[in-house]
């Protein structure tokens, strides 16, 4: 995939100097599971760990992208360099709503201090969260002060993807009853900051009250999850939100849990990368080997149970 | 875990005869990843494939358990044997709402033709969806006509768990805007049947219209997803829902896709079991081996990148 004459070392050098095109190319390499991409991350990894990484999740339509656009504007006013990584589900329906959101970010497309990238959550060649962390590391190495990760959804799977962040922000809106219930039922872990966006809606107070009620039932921790009202489209509440995110970061830094979080996230990452590779190796052997296909036929015919078939697969693979 | 003198063959025999206690014990064995549990599934697997397996998912609070309770009542009136497997997230908050739901099912606790079981979605020893399928197979082997699987949530992860079902039912309620958006955005695959429960709510028509709008944008398929209104607490609409589920099953049977679905599900299961075992083996080596701990320390110190660490882990493991 590399252009003739370009080496990982050259690309790494340009990336570390903050070259936007080098960063875009590097992310494509890791997204495509290209060995040169891995070599690049290896090269720049010692230069990572400086960016503040913030993850945003929440139901589609809550206005996350508009909010992130406003946060980017706020950061730029303070001359901070920003990178945004959005993970989009590939909808079988119209892409209208999501594209509409993306367009909100386009104010920043021409700003050299802002780097914006989307990844599809299905059909990625490697595992999604592998690619996400690698991309976030590359953004960090490229000297971005803020790395903002965005996922769409209201389940633990979506939180897991942005779990590499130092701070996790859940973005809701009036009417996000399902999400509040998911939080209450434990379908989703408690985030660090909760936003109620579209706060000009008459049901905002009700929503804030519901969230407060759920949080009050939760375990007591040293960090009290703030609920911030925003109207992202008008920039309302964005300054407060940025302040809360910074407070959270200062809190976990002071407490020593930032190091702990990053240690845990890196360890999880190593495990995920290792299991992802094993899974792909296994999937290849299944695809290519007629003997394995025969094994699966036996399972479908209910002559061989799935666990025994799995055990035989593993024996073959060793 | 086996009682003295009891063997897998004896337990299998009792299970195949429909003994409720044998079934309960068998499920505990697979849930605890006990080798005897796997032996048991191996033994009874040729007797599976007869039950109609229906999966239910949807946001917490939509009334899934009440609905399932009503469906169980309906099945019992037709003298069908039923098993219910509920996957509960372990909430850090009060378990109130979920327990409340469970209690609705208690009408059937004393009926020998009904078997009800819950599993926690976190902290299960094996993988969750592994244990779920094994338990569903055991229920099938025990002669249940209907096996109903239930998960709580509004994301693809929850749909994946019940993907072993022949028919997937999404249960919403008026106000489930986040879930409709998740469907539209492709966060969640299109189910086979959609229920709007609590249909006595004044916003029911709006909700049905929204769902219809989203579905009309989707790909055309040979099966048109029906939207059924229910008031589970009063039993309203349950007969229609059961009819729709049966129609769906007849449709995929006639079309030949039931076989296809089951083949795909069994193949996925074999792959999941195999990767789950690899993952556990790897996790054990990480926990027990000081050299691996040292490797991870290098990553945390940013001297070794995660992908290289993963590659070294895999070399050690081979």
């Amino acid at each position: 995939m590399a252009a003739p004459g370009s080496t990982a070392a050259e690309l790494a050098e340009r990336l570390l100097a903050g070259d936007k095109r080098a960063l875009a190319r590097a992310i494509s390499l890791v997204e495509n599971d290209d060995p040169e991409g891995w070599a690049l991350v290896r090269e720049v990894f010692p230069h990572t760990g400086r960016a503040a990484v913030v993850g945003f999740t929440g139901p589609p339509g809550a206005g996350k992208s508009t909010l992130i656009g406003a946060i980017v504007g706020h950061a730029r006013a303070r001359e901070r360099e920003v990178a945004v990584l959005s993970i989009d589900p590939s909808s079988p329906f119209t892409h209208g709503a999501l594209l509409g959101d993306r367009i909100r970010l386009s104010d920043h497309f021409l700003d050299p201090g802002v780097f914006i990238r989307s990844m599809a959550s299905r059909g990625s060649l490697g595992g999604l969260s592998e690619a996400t962390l690698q991309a976030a590391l590359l953004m960090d190495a490229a000297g971005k002060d803020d790395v903002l990760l965005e996922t769409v959804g209201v389940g633990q799977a979506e939180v897991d993807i942005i779990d590499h962040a130092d701070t996790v922000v859940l973005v809701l809106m009036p009417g996000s009853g399902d999400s509040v219930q998911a939080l209450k039922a434990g379908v989703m872990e408690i985030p660090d900051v909760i936003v109620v966006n579209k706060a000009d809606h008459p049901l905002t107070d009700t929503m804030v009250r519901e969230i407060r009620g759920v949080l009050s039932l939760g375990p007591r921790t040293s960090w009290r999850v703030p609920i911030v009202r925003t109207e992202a489209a008008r920039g309302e509440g964005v300054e407060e939100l940025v302040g809360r995110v910074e407070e959270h970061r200062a809190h976990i830094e002071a407490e020593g849990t930032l190091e702990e979080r990053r240690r845990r996230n890196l360890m999880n990452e190593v495990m995920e990368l290792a299991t992802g590779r094993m899974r792909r190796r296994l999937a290849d052997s299944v695809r290519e080997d007629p003997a394995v296909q025969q094994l699966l036929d036996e399972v479908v015919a209910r002559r061989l149970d799935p666990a025994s078939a799995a055990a035989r697969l593993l024996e073959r693979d060793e």
Side-chain angles (χ1 to χ4, degrees), chain A:
Chain A
M1 302 278 288
S6 114
T7 65
E10 279 166 26
L11 193 56
E13 202 175 307
R14 282 169 54 212
L15 184 132
L16 290 172
D19 182 316
K20 242 175 143 168
R21 283 173 55 201
L23 177 55
R25 168 95 154 282
I27 293 176
S28 297
L29 290 172
V30 298
E31 204 178 7
N32 294 324
D33 199 20
D34 187 306
E36 211 202 327
W38 300 104
L40 197 62
V41 176
R42 191 159 61 231
E43 192 83 15
V44 304
F45 186 63
H47 302 277
T48 61
R50 285 174 306 188
V53 185
V54 185
F56 296 81
T57 194
K64 284 179 300 301
S65 295
T66 312
L67 191 65
I68 289 171
I71 292 169
V72 169
H74 192 269
R76 292 302 294 146
R78 295 186 299 162
E79 293 183 2
R80 292 177 70 88
E81 300 248 325
V82 191
V84 180
L85 180 62
S86 298
I87 313 296
D88 270 341
S90 334
S91 174
F93 302 114
T94 172
H95 285 259
L98 295 178
L99 282 179
D101 281 352
R102 281 297 93 73
I103 287 162
R104 310 271 162 77
L105 272 169
S106 68
D107 293 355
H108 305 287
F109 276 152
L110 294 175
D111 179 345
V114 181
F115 180 89
I116 297 170
R117 177 73 172 234
S118 293
M119 275 187 189
S121 64
R122 290 197 198 140
S124 60
L125 285 177
L128 172 63
S129 72
E130 297 164 31
T132 310
L133 183 86
Q134 302 298 314
L137 287 174
L138 291 168
M139 289 167 160
D140 185 344
K144 300 300 169 192
D145 300 298
D146 295 310
V147 172
L148 312 180
L149 309 177
E150 176 194 8
T151 55
V152 179
V154 280
Q156 188 56 39
E158 288 71 32
V159 174
D160 283 345
I161 295 169
I162 56 164
D163 211 20
H164 305 300
D166 304 326
T167 302
V168 172
V169 180
L170 175 65
V171 184
L172 303 175
M173 59 179 166
S176 283
D178 289 349
S179 298
V180 176
Q181 290 297 324
L183 202 61
K184 186 176 174 187
V187 171
M188 198 164 38
E189 268 171 52
I190 309 164
D192 301 310
V193 175
I194 297 179
V195 171
V196 179
N197 191 30
K198 307 191 177 178
D200 51 334
H201 191 283
L203 286 173
T204 303
D205 288 342
T206 315
M207 178 92 285
V208 170
R209 218 163 25 237
E210 275 179 45
I211 299 167
R212 201 166 279 148
V214 169
L215 290 178
S216 72
L217 297 168
R220 287 204 170 271
T221 52
S222 62
W223 172 251
R224 214 169 142 257
V225 177
I227 305 169
V228 184
R229 292 161 196 246
T230 60
E231 283 178 59
R234 293 178 47 229
E236 290 283 323
V238 173
E239 184 147 7
E240 194 200 335
L241 172 59
V242 171
R244 294 304 189 187
V245 168
E246 282 172 356
E247 270 172 35
H248 174 259
R249 203 187 146 76
H251 173 84
I252 57 174
E253 233 161 5
E255 215 189 30
T257 41
L258 176 61
E259 278 315 304
E260 238 173 72
R261 244 179 221 238
R262 290 191 159 182
R263 188 185 172 84
R264 183 203 60 192
N265 291 347
L266 285 170
M267 289 174 71
N268 286 343
E269 180 61 18
V270 171
M271 288 295 291
E272 270 176 43
L273 284 165
T275 51
R277 280 175 190 206
M278 291 193 297
R279 196 183 310 119
R280 278 195 294 280
R281 210 155 61 184
L282 196 64
D284 289 344
S285 87
V286 168
R287 239 191 324 275
E288 290 158 14
D289 191 336
V292 174
Q293 287 299 334
Q294 233 165 25
L295 201 68
L296 293 173
D297 286 339
E298 288 292 292
V299 175
V300 173
R302 312 245 168 196
R303 284 191 292 265
L304 179 69
D305 69 294
S308 302
R312 286 203 207 159
L313 253 187
L314 290 177
E315 279 163 31
R316 294 180 48 87
D317 200 49
E318 267 155 20

